[in-house]
Structure formats: C-alpha cells, structure tokens
C-alpha cells in the first residue's frame, strides 16, 4: 500500500512539473493560405469516353469517374447579381477509368486497361444578366491529354493546347437568383486541331447551388495508337460524355 501511494505521489509530481514547463504554441495565420469555399465550384459524375476515327483501326473506349474543381478568380470578388456579370475560373478536370473495349495486343503484349483524361486551363465569361435571362461570352484556354488503354491523344506532344471561344445562355424559371438553367458551348473553329463541346446545367434545389449536369467534349489531334510502332501517328478524334452533379455559384 505504501509503495502504491509513493507511485501516485511521484506520478502526480511529474505531471505537475511537465504542465509547468509546457508553453502554448501560437500560429501566425498570415503565414498560411486560407481558401474560402465560396470561391470554389465543380462537378462529379459518371463518364464514357473514347478515341476513334484513327485510320481503319478499332475504337478505343473507356468509362470511369470524372471530377472537376474550379477556383473562381475575378468573379469571386465581384458582386454578380443583375446587370454586368463575370464568370471566370482556373480549373482542373480529371477522369480516371478503365478500358471497356477489348484490349489490343502489340508484339504479344496486351495494352493496359488503365485510362485517364486530364484537362486544365482558365475560362473567362462576361455578359449581362436580368431577373429571368442572361447571356455571356468569352474565351477559354485549354490543355488536354487523353490516354485510353495504350492509345494517346495527342501522340507527338505532351498536351493538346487550344483556345476556344465560349458562349452561355441562362434562363431562371422561378425561385432564387441562381436557380437557372444554363447552356454553355465552346469551339475553336480550327479543323486541324479542333476543340468543341457543350454543357447543360439544370438546377435541382431552389435555394441550394446544386445542378444536374451533362457535358459533351470533342477534340481532334494526332494520335499514338496502341499497335503503332514508336513515332508513328495518325489523325484521330477524342470524345467524352459526362453526367453528374454540379455544385457552387454560377458566377
């Protein structure tokens, strides 16, 4: 009993001593980057994609999950209500998936089933918004790479870089200011290296910034095909469909 009491006394004394020697750590918030969630928007959804029209070779097809994150810049600090509005963002769109078509064999070596698509860049839209309608136009700078199994677009370079023109139409049927059906389209009007597509966003909650979204993307460039020898390329087409949930402010 005496030994137990002694252990208790010594343990308590040690805890008190440690408590007296500890100092509080003060963090300087100015040394950290704080991100306001209101500056972000994006989408997540199911996607199918593929590279096709490469000579007479079979299409390479895949499916997977698409995640897009946008960081608002100018529009995040502007009061966008009625009148002149701006919608801009830096963005990263990443798809991870699996080859759904039959793998090809190159010198008895089957192609990988792993697929990925990445697009990054900056978009800027400006226009006029009223209580019911809105129309915006602008420009987008894109850098894209698609790897569907063993087939890559672009083939001879790391990324396909384009700068399509953009336009967006809005219609608010009811409810809050941002409860708007939006149709966005883009095209760079360059047949040698074409990038075009469209997105439809349909609001699903009156006072929440959630939308059902569908996106179609189309691009053409030189392709490195799964059964080509090294440094052999041919024109090809990349296309992608995505349906999912979009979130965040519309401007």
């Amino acid at each position: 009993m005496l030994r137990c009491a002694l252990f208790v006394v010594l343990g308590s004394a040690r805890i008190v001593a440690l408590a007296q020697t500890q100092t509080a750590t003060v963090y300087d918030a100015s040394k950290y980057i704080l991100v306001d969630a209101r500056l972000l928007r994006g989408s997540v959804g199911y996607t199918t994609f593929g590279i096709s029209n490469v000579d007479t070779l079979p299409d390479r097809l895949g499916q997977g999950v698409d995640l897009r994150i946008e960081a608002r810049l100018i529009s995040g600090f502007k009061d966008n209500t009625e009148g002149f509005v701006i919608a801009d963002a830096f963005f990263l769109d990443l798809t991870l998936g699996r080859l759904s078509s039959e793998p090809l064999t190159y010198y008895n070596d089957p192609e990988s089933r792993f697929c990925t698509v990445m697009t990054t860049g900056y978009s800027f839209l400006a226009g006029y918004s009223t209580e019911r309608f809105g129309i915006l136009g602008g420009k987008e700078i894109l850098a894209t790479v698609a790897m569907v199994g063993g087939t890559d677009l672009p083939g001879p370079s790391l990324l396909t870089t384009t700068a399509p023109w953009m336009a967006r139409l809005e219609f608010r049927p009811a409810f809050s200011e941002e409860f708007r059906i939006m149709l966005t389209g883009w095209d760079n009007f360059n047949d040698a290296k074409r990038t075009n597509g469209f997105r439809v966003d349909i609001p699903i909650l009156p006072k929440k910034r959630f939308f059902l979204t569908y996106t179609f993307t189309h691009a053409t460039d030189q392709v490195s095909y799964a059964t080509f020898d090294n440094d052999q390329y041919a024109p090809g087409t990349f296309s992608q469909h995505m349906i999912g949930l979009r979130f965040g402010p519309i401007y």
Side-chain angles (χ1 to χ4, degrees):
M1 181 67 69
L2 180 60
R3 182 179 296 177
C4 291
L6 182 60
F7 282 147
V8 171
V9 171
L10 292 176
S12 301
R14 180 173 178 79
I15 292 173
V16 171
L18 289 173
Q20 290 176 343
T21 58
Q22 286 181 342
T23 58
T25 302
V26 179
Y27 294 95
D28 184 359
S30 64
K31 296 181 180 180
Y32 299 86
I33 299 175
L34 305 178
V35 178
D36 190 335
R38 292 173 297 181
L39 297 179
L40 301 178
R41 57 175 173 249
S43 64
V44 60
Y46 167 75
T47 181
T48 61
F49 50 89
I51 296 176
S52 57
N53 301 324
V54 184
D55 200 8
T56 58
L57 299 168
D59 297 349
R60 315 313 300 134
L61 304 174
Q63 58 183 334
V65 176
D66 181 84
L67 175 64
R68 181 183 179 97
I69 295 295
E70 302 178 4
R72 301 160 66 206
L73 189 60
I74 301 173
S75 57
F77 300 95
K78 184 183 182 302
D79 181 20
N80 285 306
T81 53
E82 293 185 16
F84 179 70
V85 293
I86 292 175
D88 75 320
F90 288 103
F91 61 87
L92 173 64
D93 196 315
L94 181 63
T95 296
L96 295 177
R98 183 175 173 83
L99 190 71
S100 58
S101 53
E102 188 66 24
L104 299 176
T105 300
Y106 181 66
Y107 290 120
N108 296 321
D109 184 19
E111 66 178 316
S112 169
R113 285 188 174 273
F114 175 73
C115 301
T116 184
V117 183
M118 187 196 74
T119 302
T120 186
Y122 174 74
S123 64
F124 181 89
L125 287 164
Y128 193 79
S129 175
T130 68
E131 182 181 357
R132 290 289 183 183
F133 301 95
I135 181 169
L136 296 84
K139 195 78 170 174
E140 188 171 41
I141 299 173
L142 298 174
T144 304
V145 60
M147 293 180 287
V148 185
T151 299
D152 302 338
L153 184 149
S157 57
L158 180 62
L159 297 167
T160 293
T161 304
T162 56
W165 294 97
M166 301 183 69
R168 187 168 94 183
L169 300 176
E170 304 172 356
F171 169 64
R172 184 180 75 86
F175 306 116
S176 63
E177 174 62 27
E178 296 197 18
F179 192 84
R180 293 180 177 239
I181 299 171
M182 297 178 291
L183 173 62
T184 306
W186 56 90
D187 199 322
N188 69 334
F189 304 104
N190 182 348
D191 291 335
K193 189 186 291 187
R194 193 72 175 268
T195 299
N196 55 14
F198 68 91
R199 184 177 70 238
V200 180
D201 299 310
I202 301 175
I204 55 177
L205 292 175
K207 295 185 179 181
K208 302 293 183 180
R209 294 164 169 174
F210 290 108
F211 303 80
L212 288 177
T213 187
Y214 168 77
T215 303
F216 171 73
T217 303
H218 175 270
T220 59
D221 204 343
Q222 295 294 305
V223 170
S224 174
Y225 204 77
T227 55
F228 282 175
D229 289 326
N230 292 334
D231 300 323
Q232 296 292 317
Y233 311 107
T237 300
F238 169 77
S239 60
Q240 183 172 17
H241 303 264
M242 191 281 284
I243 184 168
L245 179 67
R246 185 170 175 84
F247 58 89
I250 65 174
Y251 300 123

